[in-house]
């Protein structure tokens, strides 16, 4: 299935709320991605991500709608040569190989754009879909941080997946 990565626009608000307002997405993310996902949440997100130059967060456009998001976040201080990635996709489009491909795209963009050598992601240990996405995009499991997460009244392990600049 075809998709494009492009900058978020304020006019994406309706599509953003439509696709993001889903507990099956929110349950795998930090609490910065709320459920329910309201218009106010969407406005706050768009204000934040449309400011960056160079761009850090891209909309995943499918069938003319912003239906997902993928971002790369260079770190600071002694971690300045590393960047974290994060992503979600509308449940309507899961299992089409879109995110595995989008992660490869953001890795290329990240190494081309920022002065970094290491890109990592931190899926919950129970998020097997996301781990599969990362493996397909050339990431390797580096660490398991036991009980590092506490979400919805439950402790979970956090995994670190990494890809280095060649
Ligand atoms: C994780 C997510 C981004 C995957 O997007 P996607 O476009 O469906 O991913 P892909 O189609 O590229 O790949 C999914 C892989 O997971 C596999 N998979 C699907 N459901 C699975 C499950 N329940 N358990 C294990 N693997 C599963 C698929 O088979 C596929 O692998 P394959 O191509 O080898 O068959 C999407 O499900 C999502 O937005 N989830 C909620 C938010 C989230 O978890 N974000 C990541 C936080 S680290």
């Amino acid at each position: 299935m075809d998709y494009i990565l492009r900058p978020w626009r304020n006019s994406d608000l309706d599509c953003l709320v439509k696709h993001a307002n889903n507990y099956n997405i929110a349950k795998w993310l930090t609490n910065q991605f709320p459920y329910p996902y309201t218009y106010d949440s969407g406005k706050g997100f768009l204000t934040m991500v449309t400011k960056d130059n160079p761009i850090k967060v891209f909309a995943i456009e499918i069938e003319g709608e912003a239906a997902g998001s993928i971002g790369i976040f260079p770190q600071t201080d002694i971690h300045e040569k590393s960047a974290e990635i994060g992503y979600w996709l509308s449940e309507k489009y899961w299992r089409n190989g879109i995110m595995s491909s989008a992660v490869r795209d953001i890795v290329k963009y990240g190494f081309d754009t920022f002065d970094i050598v290491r890109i990592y992601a931190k899926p919950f240990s129970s998020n097997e879909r996301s781990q599969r996405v990362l493996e397909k995009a050339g990431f390797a499991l580096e660490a398991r941080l036991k009980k590092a997460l506490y979400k919805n009244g439950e402790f979970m392990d956090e995994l670190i997946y990494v890809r280095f600049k060649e």
Side-chain angles (χ1 to χ4, degrees), residues 22-30 33 60 62 67-69 84-91 93-104 121-124 126-134 136 159:
N22 181 348
Y23 182 67
N24 292 333
I25 297 177
K27 72 191 256 200
W28 301 113
L29 300 173
T30 70
F33 187 104
I60 303 173
I62 306 166
S69 188
E84 179 170 358
I85 57 167
Y87 45 84
W88 62 268
L89 182 68
S90 172
E91 192 170 357
Y93 297 113
W94 287 6
R95 301 206 73 164
N96 287 296
I98 292 172
M99 199 55 84
S100 305
S101 177
V103 169
R104 281 185 224 113
K122 299 196 294 188
F124 301 1
S126 44
N127 194 350
E128 289 173 13
R129 271 187 211 105
S130 183
Q131 291 163 49
R132 185 77 197 113
V133 162
L134 291 162
K136 286 200 289 178
L159 304 181

